[in-house]
Amino acid sequence: MQGIFYTVIPESSIETSATTRQQALDRFLAGVERRALVMAEIATSSREEALDLVQESMLAFVRAYANKPEEQWPPLFHRVLQNRIRDWYRRSKVRNRWKAWLGFGDSDDDTDPIQSLPDPRRSTPESELKQADTGKAIVAAVGRLPLRQQQAFMLRTWEGLDVATTARVMGCSQGSVKTHLSRAMQTLRLSLEEYRE
Amino acid sequence: MNEIKERVSRALDEQADSIDGATLSRLRQARARALETPPLWQGWRLPLALSAAISLVAALVLLDAHQGQQLPEELLPVSRQLEVMEIINLEVDLELVEELDFYDWLEQQENAGEEA
């Protein structure tokens, strides 16, 4: 005769485990929130939009992935964040098209919304030369990169993700990551000539 | 090229370190709100979905028994199994479903890393 055996876990043990996980989540999010904000702000050129994206990403991440092993949290969080940034770009593209159609902005006929969205800050290399802070100028140069190049560069170089993980986070092939990264490096090399140390 | 990476990384670090107090406070609030969110498997959605599914299965079994029909081996006809799955699926977070592939890949990576 087959029997069903249950393991009784004390309630206090469950509560302790939940509290520990909550603390681990808090530490993890506290550790990534600043960098996430910088990434989102560079992509959107708006602190308010960036704060919204980071908040949405935190909510979605906790809701869906808090139970996953801690070592998986960084790529999962970046996946959520990058998806939201990409969605924001697509929405911006639609808004820009409507504005152009209604006569409130310039028309943009490019087919790739992510690669070709115009720089919202309308900054130019000339205007950036006037910036006193070289660091800000460098960050602005990253912001001028097309979104996919930004993502590849920041995830690989700043976050230190490997090519395979970056590709999965971005939802593209490893070859695409390498191409985006190479183009980003070329552009940044030219942009940063002015700020050579 | 390494020099570029280092300079840009340093500039990005400085940018992250120089975020003002008001913004940091908003980030803390956002984090607190996120941590208050019940995870998908702990919130009301999943238990509700499971309860609904169990109730439906029980109702269908009773109905079949009442009508004196013999149940097939798989307990429910396919059409009714699909009805049950439909109800369950309504409650499953779509984003989570989209990410399943990514999650599988992560696990494979870790398993490969452990084996190596």
Side-chain angles (χ1 to χ4, degrees):
Chain A
M1 179 180 162
Q2 287 185 335
I4 300 172
F5 298 96
Y6 296 95
T7 304
V8 179
I9 301 169
E11 202 170 311
S12 60
S13 170
I14 295 171
E15 282 173 10
T16 307
S17 170
T19 308
T20 308
R21 181 143 283 250
Q22 196 81 346
Q23 287 169 345
L25 270 173
D26 190 35
R27 276 196 306 275
F28 169 72
L29 292 176
V32 295
E33 65 190 13
R34 286 178 182 230
R35 292 159 82 88
L37 182 73
V38 170
M39 282 187 183
E41 192 171 0
I42 286 174
T44 62
S45 306
S46 160
R47 177 149 291 184
E48 286 303 314
E49 297 278 6
L51 276 165
D52 285 347
L53 288 175
V54 172
Q55 177 168 328
E56 285 172 21
S57 300
M58 285 179 171
L59 281 165
F61 169 78
V62 170
R63 192 160 157 267
Y65 299 123
N67 66 328
K68 303 300 179 199
E70 281 186 50
E71 59 272 19
Q72 292 182 0
W73 287 351
L76 287 168
F77 178 78
H78 282 297
R79 169 92 164 187
V80 172
L81 177 67
Q82 298 304 330
N83 280 346
R84 270 160 180 72
I85 290 173
R86 212 164 47 200
D87 289 346
W88 181 90
Y89 254 77
R90 291 193 174 120
R91 287 199 304 272
S92 295
K93 181 71 180 177
V94 172
R95 269 202 304 271
N96 288 345
R97 277 189 177 157
W98 273 103
K99 281 181 184 173
W101 188 72
L102 293 169
F104 294 120
D106 297 330
S107 173
D108 188 346
D109 294 325
D110 290 337
T111 50
D112 186 343
I114 292 172
Q115 294 286 352
S116 58
L117 198 80
D119 175 19
R121 276 168 303 196
R122 310 243 186 263
S123 63
T124 63
E126 287 75 23
S127 68
E128 280 168 21
L129 280 173
K130 294 174 186 168
Q131 288 181 317
D133 191 336
T134 303
K136 283 186 180 172
I138 292 174
V139 172
V142 177
R144 281 202 307 276
L145 294 172
L147 179 64
R148 301 298 268 172
Q149 290 182 30
Q150 273 180 38
Q151 289 178 320
F153 182 83
M154 287 196 279
L155 291 170
R156 282 282 290 124
T157 305
W158 198 31
E159 287 300 321
L161 301 184
D162 59 34
V163 175
T165 307
T166 303
R168 297 301 296 207
V169 166
M170 289 176 62
C172 65
S173 69
Q174 294 186 33
S176 293
V177 169
K178 289 174 185 170
T179 304
H180 289 312
L181 185 61
S182 168
R183 287 179 181 163
M185 294 293 287
Q186 294 289 340
T187 308
L188 286 173
R189 187 170 57 79
L190 293 172
S191 300
L192 301 186
E193 283 289 320
E194 300 288 340
Y195 306 103
R196 190 169 281 281
E197 288 174 331
Chain B
M1 284 296 178
N2 279 340
E3 184 206 340
I4 293 172
K5 287 179 185 174
E6 284 169 17
R7 288 183 65 197
V8 176
S9 292
R10 202 162 59 232
L12 292 170
D13 283 338
E14 284 168 10
Q15 182 89 346
D17 291 339
S18 65
I19 293 170
D20 61 277
T23 304
L24 288 177
S25 171
R26 291 177 67 184
L27 278 175
R28 272 196 297 276
Q29 289 168 14
R31 190 186 347 136
R33 272 195 293 276
L35 291 170
E36 285 168 8
T37 310
L40 193 63
W41 70 97
Q42 282 180 1
W44 55 269
R45 290 163 58 112
L46 203 57
L48 187 69
L50 287 174
S51 305
I54 291 167
S55 303
L56 185 66
V57 170
L60 292 173
V61 169
L62 284 173
L63 188 64
D64 277 342
H66 183 70
Q67 289 175 345
Q69 294 172 350
Q70 191 175 357
L71 287 173
E73 284 179 11
E74 61 270 21
L75 184 66
L76 286 174
V78 173
S79 60
R80 290 189 179 167
Q81 286 180 21
L82 288 175
E83 285 172 16
V84 172
M85 287 308 296
E86 223 170 53
I87 289 178
I88 294 171
N89 285 339
L90 281 175
E91 298 296 335
V92 174
D93 191 270
L94 283 175
E95 189 173 27
L96 187 64
V97 172
E98 288 169 6
E99 300 296 327
L100 283 178
D101 173 51
F102 181 61
Y103 181 64
D104 284 344
W105 175 82
L106 264 183
E107 283 199 327
Q108 282 167 18
Q109 293 292 107
E110 284 185 0
N111 291 340
E114 284 168 10
E115 287 167 10

